Amino acid sequence: MTEISALLQEDRRFPPSERWRTTANITDPGIYDRALADPEGFWDRFARELEWIAPWDAVLEWNPPHARWFVGGKLNVSANCLDRHVRTARRNKAAIVWEGEPGDRRTLTYWDLFREVSAFANVLKSLGVKRGERVALYLPLVPELAVAMLACARIGAVHSVVFGGFSAESLRDRINDAQAVLLVTADGGYRRGQVVPLKQTADEALAGAPSIKNVIVVQRHAGAPIPVDITEGRDHWYHRLMQHAGSSCEPEAMDAEDMLYILYTSGTTGKPKGIVHTTGGYLVGTYATTKWVFDLKEDDVYWCTADIGWVTGHSYVVYGPLANGATVLMYEGAPDWPHKDRFWEMIDRHGVTVFYTAPTAIRAFMRWGTEWPAKRRLDTLRLLGSVGEPINPEAWIWYHLNIGRERCPIVDTWWQTETGMIMITPLPGVTSTKPGSATRAFPGVAAEIRNAKGERIETGGGLLALTKPWPAMLRGIYGDPDRYLTQYWSRWTDGAYFTGDGARRDEDGFFWLLGRVDDVLNVAGHRLGTMEVESALVDHPTVAEAAVVGRSHEIKGQAVAAFVTLKEGFKPSDALAEALKEHVVRKIGAIARPDQILFSADLPKTRSGKIMRRLLRDIAEGKALGDTSTLADPAVVARLKTQYEEKEG
Ligand code: WT7
């Protein structure tokens, strides 16, 4: 097999093979120019492949920064993901092939899923859920999560999925922000052999969430029920309600601009933002990108390993693939359970053809060693994807050699919760890839690099801007129109969208993503605001002040490093550091757990009292300190650096 070092040194390109160039869903390089010349016509053609209850009058109405796509069009997302397929030979095709972590398995055909979604839609209606009302979903990665999302879409309710790893407090804040009327949860789920007691956490959240009138509890494993408290009148078992539910439910005719879902994501303040996605444009954008980027064919077995609690799961586990009538593999648990080859074993067992995962996972696989994938055939795979953070060329090449076996193109897809759909990506039948580059904007999407003056630059580094509206774009931040404007649309004055990412464009016009330029971290492919972690820390009774920065981490990409000043009368100790870490986990969830806590009597501040995170980052990265001339007291940072180095040993 080819050596990693040789491939890296060669600075190689990976052009599509003859087979890919001739058989992919899109093979014509001319598509970029054609889409650029007429983006609305480009999206219009994809929209016509879907099913509409009423046609649109205009593809786009753009009053920056407010877009309306498929104006006047009416459709139902669940009908597009289900009814449209059950009227064809896809009726008996597997829609969801699911494996639980303990090894239990279920397969739902399109017909099964159609019936289950219709029945659950009736259940929601019977509990009084109305069109436009919000429904919170706090579930493990089980088919019922997809069922609940599609059932909401069917009756026009707005779902707000909260990742099962979030704490009670995070769940409560999200429920309250959205004023959700109903919560769907489960007795629990499985992760690394442990039960995750979701209902118990939900009960804690619900103590401060009065908008919730009803709770539906999925029994994760009928053979092994997880003990829960049931509040009479409020809590109902999913399986009981479903016994009495009618299996036919007419899909609501939704306006293209009706809200489909809210998904919370971290920003630069302590409070997560409820990103709003609507119906028509979102479906068109996820449908189109799934079809062309993942090249889905009728016989594919497609596996995106993301949790549905993140946007990747919304767009590329549920809506995009099901709108394409694909067979979707879902797996509940950890990649190293019971062994470090669980993913590779599953790829062989189910004959997975398209596999989409995150660089943090790939780096963990690298660390675990090639012997794990080497034991497996992996010969059904034909296409690999990456998402969530920049993929370092070493990881790209490792993926190419050890998983793709030098046979599968890799699509490195850049996008965000806000963009809803993949924005920068190779097209596997068109693009010659370079390890580490997400390559070019998807046809119809306009991306560019801007310098500090806001000017477009053809090559070199700067801020990544999106200069044209796109169908799956966010329509707002729930309940906070001002933040929508300031966060995304105020950096430039010409109606361009600010991504928050730094990037470089090379001589071939390829984009190389460089990470966030704001106070947002990317820990294991998940977004985390430094302010959120700081708020959690200062909430602890011993903490006077906290500053959080990211530091490079071999597997996670970034890890959380916290600098903490204690209140008078409290002394630093390892035990207190542990207690603070636990406090953050309890406030936010395990993803926010600081790797490191450094106690310090002072934090480096400017003369106006602003904490200089840049210097803390230098310290956390073990770098030479940058300019310290604006500090009120330069000695503080010098002391901190010494202290840090002593601790790191
Ligand atoms: C941020 C968005 C949307 C997928 C899951 C993350 C980073 C995402 C890539 C990539 C380099 C990437 C960016 C972006 N990111 N994909 N292929 N290459 N960076 O969604 O939580 O909304 O985070 O993830 O920094 O802004 P998210």
Side-chain angles (χ1 to χ4, degrees):
M1 207 193 280
T2 328
E3 285 297 316
I4 285 193
S5 53
L7 285 180
L8 281 171
Q9 275 161 15
E10 279 175 52
D11 192 17
R12 248 173 66 174
R13 313 271 169 114
F14 294 79
S17 65
E18 167 70 18
R19 183 135 188 272
W20 273 95
R21 268 187 288 115
T22 50
T23 63
N25 287 347
I26 175 73
T27 55
D28 175 10
I31 190 63
Y32 287 102
D33 288 340
R34 286 207 306 281
L36 189 67
D38 179 18
E40 292 179 28
F42 175 78
W43 295 116
D44 182 276
R45 274 186 291 283
F46 277 110
R48 284 167 197 276
E49 294 178 22
L50 297 167
E51 187 175 287
W52 295 76
I53 299 164
W56 53 95
D57 309 316
V59 173
L60 172 66
E61 204 180 271
W62 179 224
N63 297 307
H66 302 287
R68 295 176 69 209
W69 282 87
F70 306 103
V71 183
K74 302 239 183 301
L75 74 164
N76 184 282
V77 166
S78 101
N80 272 283
C81 292
L82 302 169
D83 310 41
R84 197 159 62 91
H85 306 313
V86 300
R87 290 195 293 266
T88 72
R90 283 184 185 146
R91 174 191 168 102
N92 300 317
K93 175 178 177 175
I96 296 177
V97 177
W98 175 84
E99 263 195 44
E101 193 186 72
D104 43 342
R105 286 189 224 166
R106 284 163 65 191
T107 297
L108 285 88
T109 63
Y110 271 95
W111 178 254
D112 295 332
L113 189 60
F114 166 70
R115 299 250 310 174
E116 186 89 1
V117 167
S118 302
F120 195 59
N122 285 328
V123 164
L124 292 175
K125 278 191 188 170
S126 73
L127 290 174
V129 177
K130 301 270 172 327
R131 188 174 161 141
E133 288 187 324
R134 276 78 53 216
V135 172
L137 308 178
Y138 186 62
L139 285 159
L141 213 170
V142 290
E144 285 81 359
L145 178 48
V147 168
M149 293 163 78
L150 291 162
C152 286
R154 197 162 189 90
I155 66 168
V158 175
H159 60 71
S160 165
V161 181
V162 179
F163 170 57
F166 276 123
S167 67
E169 197 161 319
S170 297
L171 173 60
R172 182 198 303 150
D173 291 346
R174 285 159 175 75
I175 289 173
N176 288 337
D177 188 80
Q179 287 293 293
V181 296
L182 184 142
L183 170 71
V184 187
T185 186
D187 49 358
Y190 294 96
R191 186 81 192 175
R192 285 211 176 80
Q194 302 287 311
V195 167
V196 184
L198 291 169
K199 175 63 163 70
Q200 199 183 308
T201 310
D203 284 338
E204 225 181 288
L206 291 172
S211 62
I212 295 285
K213 302 290 178 271
N214 289 286
V215 178
I216 300 177
V217 188
V218 173
Q219 195 173 60
R220 163 63 186 82
H221 197 317
I226 297 159
V228 294
D229 294 330
I230 292 290
T231 302
E232 285 308 325
R234 186 195 71 181
D235 300 354
H236 320 267
W237 287 104
Y238 179 95
H239 57 280
R240 298 250 173 87
L241 294 171
M242 289 291 270
Q243 275 170 359
H244 309 290
S247 58
S248 135
C249 173
E250 200 51 38
E252 282 283 312
M254 304 305 292
D255 188 273
E257 282 301 330
D258 277 338
M259 216 181 279
L260 177 64
Y261 69 80
I262 303 170
L263 182 61
Y264 287 84
T265 189
S266 296
T268 51
T269 72
K271 188 175 176 285
K273 311 176 271 199
I275 302 301
V276 170
H277 283 292
T278 59
T279 299
Y282 177 79
L283 191 68
V284 170
T286 53
Y287 168 77
T289 47
T290 304
K291 183 170 176 177
W292 279 11
V293 176
F294 300 116
D295 191 54
L296 287 187
K297 300 281 166 46
E298 207 56 72
D299 56 355
D300 272 311
V301 178
Y302 165 89
W303 185 15
C304 165
T305 66
D307 194 284
I308 294 177
W310 311 107
V311 75
T312 308
H314 284 59
S315 298
Y316 299 109
V317 177
V318 180
Y319 291 116
L322 295 180
N324 276 277
T327 295
V328 178
L329 180 64
M330 290 182 190
Y331 167 57
E332 173 187 33
D336 54 352
W337 191 267
H339 302 295
K340 293 187 167 61
D341 58 350
R342 178 68 183 259
F343 277 14
W344 322 129
E345 184 193 3
M346 284 182 56
I347 286 173
D348 278 2
R349 175 158 50 246
H350 299 283
V352 172
T353 55
V354 178
F355 178 69
Y356 188 33
T357 195
T360 184
I362 297 167
R363 290 190 298 264
F365 303 144
M366 286 174 77
R367 168 87 82 83
W368 297 342
T370 51
E371 60 270 29
W372 296 103
K375 288 197 295 184
R376 305 291 169 180
R377 301 173 60 95
L378 305 184
D379 55 352
T380 51
L381 287 175
R382 64 182 193 93
L383 176 65
L384 303 176
S386 171
V387 63
E389 54 182 310
I391 180 165
N392 45 311
E394 292 82 349
W396 196 105
I397 296 287
W398 187 93
Y399 197 30
H400 168 73
L401 295 178
N402 296 287
I403 309 304
R405 308 268 164 88
E406 304 185 52
R407 175 188 76 235
C408 305
I410 296 178
V411 288
D412 172 9
T413 63
W414 177 90
W415 58 295
Q416 309 179 306
T417 304
E418 291 86 341
T419 70
M421 61 183 242
I422 292 170
M423 301 295 281
I424 302 182
T425 177
L427 294 174
V430 175
T431 317
S432 287
T433 54
K434 304 182 193 181
S437 170
T439 75
R440 299 181 63 175
F442 189 81
V445 169
E448 65 184 42
I449 305 291
R450 295 187 169 188
N451 65 16
K453 286 190 217 137
E455 299 155 347
R456 175 190 169 111
I457 55 174
E458 292 310 310
T459 58
L463 300 176
L464 180 67
L466 302 172
T467 56
K468 266 196 200 17
W470 62 98
M473 66 193 283
L474 77 165
R475 300 299 198 270
I477 295 176
Y478 193 75
D480 201 345
D482 293 341
R483 195 170 174 196
Y484 174 69
L485 298 182
T486 52
Q487 180 68 52
Y488 305 109
W489 305 99
S490 322
R491 167 80 53 157
W492 300 298
T493 50
D494 63 344
Y497 168 90
F498 175 57
T499 60
D501 276 41
R504 179 170 71 79
R505 196 163 179 268
D506 71 15
E507 318 68 52
D508 297 323
F510 278 23
F511 291 100
W512 298 74
L513 278 301
L514 301 170
R516 305 285 308 193
V517 297
D518 50 10
D519 290 325
V520 171
L521 305 181
N522 191 326
V523 178
H526 300 312
R527 241 157 100 167
L528 195 63
T530 54
M531 298 266 282
E532 268 176 273
V533 185
E534 287 166 7
S535 318
L537 284 166
V538 296
D539 174 77
H540 194 271
T542 64
V543 175
E545 197 167 36
V548 164
V549 297
R551 75 188 286 242
S552 317
H553 186 280
E554 188 195 340
I555 307 240
K556 294 193 276 192
Q558 281 190 303
V560 175
F563 295 81
V564 168
T565 304
L566 293 174
K567 285 184 186 155
E568 208 61 58
F570 294 101
K571 281 210 173 55
S573 69
D574 289 347
L576 182 55
E578 273 315 300
L580 293 181
K581 289 179 189 176
E582 274 315 306
H583 189 70
V584 174
V585 172
R586 212 157 47 71
K587 295 286 287 184
I588 304 176
I591 49 164
R593 182 193 197 87
D595 254 40
Q596 254 182 337
I597 291 197
L598 193 75
F599 295 105
S600 159
D602 301 285
L603 293 172
K605 289 187 184 153
T606 60
R607 278 175 279 267
S608 60
K610 202 167 168 291
I611 297 176
M612 290 196 65
R613 285 201 181 67
R614 175 173 59 77
L615 294 174
L616 294 176
R617 270 196 292 273
D618 290 346
I619 294 174
E621 297 280 17
K623 286 194 200 139
L625 290 177
D627 181 13
T628 59
S629 59
T630 54
L631 282 177
D633 178 5
V636 169
V637 68
R639 260 200 315 274
L640 257 180
K641 188 164 168 63
T642 319
Q643 197 189 335
Y644 190 89
E645 283 161 0
E646 277 166 9
K647 183 140 191 206
E648 287 289 281

